[in-house]
Amino acid sequence: MTYENEDSETYSEWVQRGNGAYQIEVCKDEGGTVESASVDVTGGGRNALLTISDGECKGLVYWQVDFGLGSSPPEGVPDYDPADFLMAAVGNSDRVSYNPSCTFPKEDKIDLLDREFDFDDEDNPTHVSVRFEVVSEEELDLHLAVFIRPPRDLIEEFGDEEVEAAAKDGECPIDAEDVDVEEQVEFGVASGTFGSGEHTLEIDLPTP
């Protein structure tokens, strides 16, 4: 398969529908217009055809969710001071990759009740929320921020076993260097001032 921008990709997982045609579903993460396609075959009849149908550009959107102290994330580059950072998760519009990808509990101020974010659908996430309890005697300004980040499949790059091992050792499996913080774009922020007790912050995620 060759695309208009001259990228080319090879696919091999064909499925036969009954005793009929062989079909394959292809997807280019960032979208693209197909310029040409070819297939190598052996056998078959004189009326064999290669067809392309149901095409649409539907690129994945990659995101990071940050939960932190303060009414908003750091201006410009979302590079948090560890003292203000609570928890993060990363993923894309097709799946939640790592939840959480990083935690910095502040037991003297806040209890992260579930120790992770709650997504409406792990395989097609469109909304995220976080439950927490303020244990500080003072009111806290807190925010839940969503950033769009450059396309990068962290599951394929790092692998679940490596990330899980890091998490068991108390490390952040995915840190700022792994998600190109400098190139993230703010998508939305939910914030509020919270006194003692249990609370929830929620926000929509970017979708194609």
Side-chain angles (χ1 to χ4, degrees), residues 13-14 73-74 84 89 117 123 132 143 202:
E13 297 180 3
W14 295 81
D84 297 329
F117 296 97
D123 295 325
F132 56 92
H143 69 270
E202 55 186 319

Side-chain angles (χ1 to χ4, degrees), residues 170-185:
E171 302 174 2
C172 288
I174 303 297
D175 59 29
E177 295 179 358
D178 297 322
V179 292
D180 301 319
V181 171
E182 294 81 3
E183 298 183 37
Q184 291 188 123
V185 177

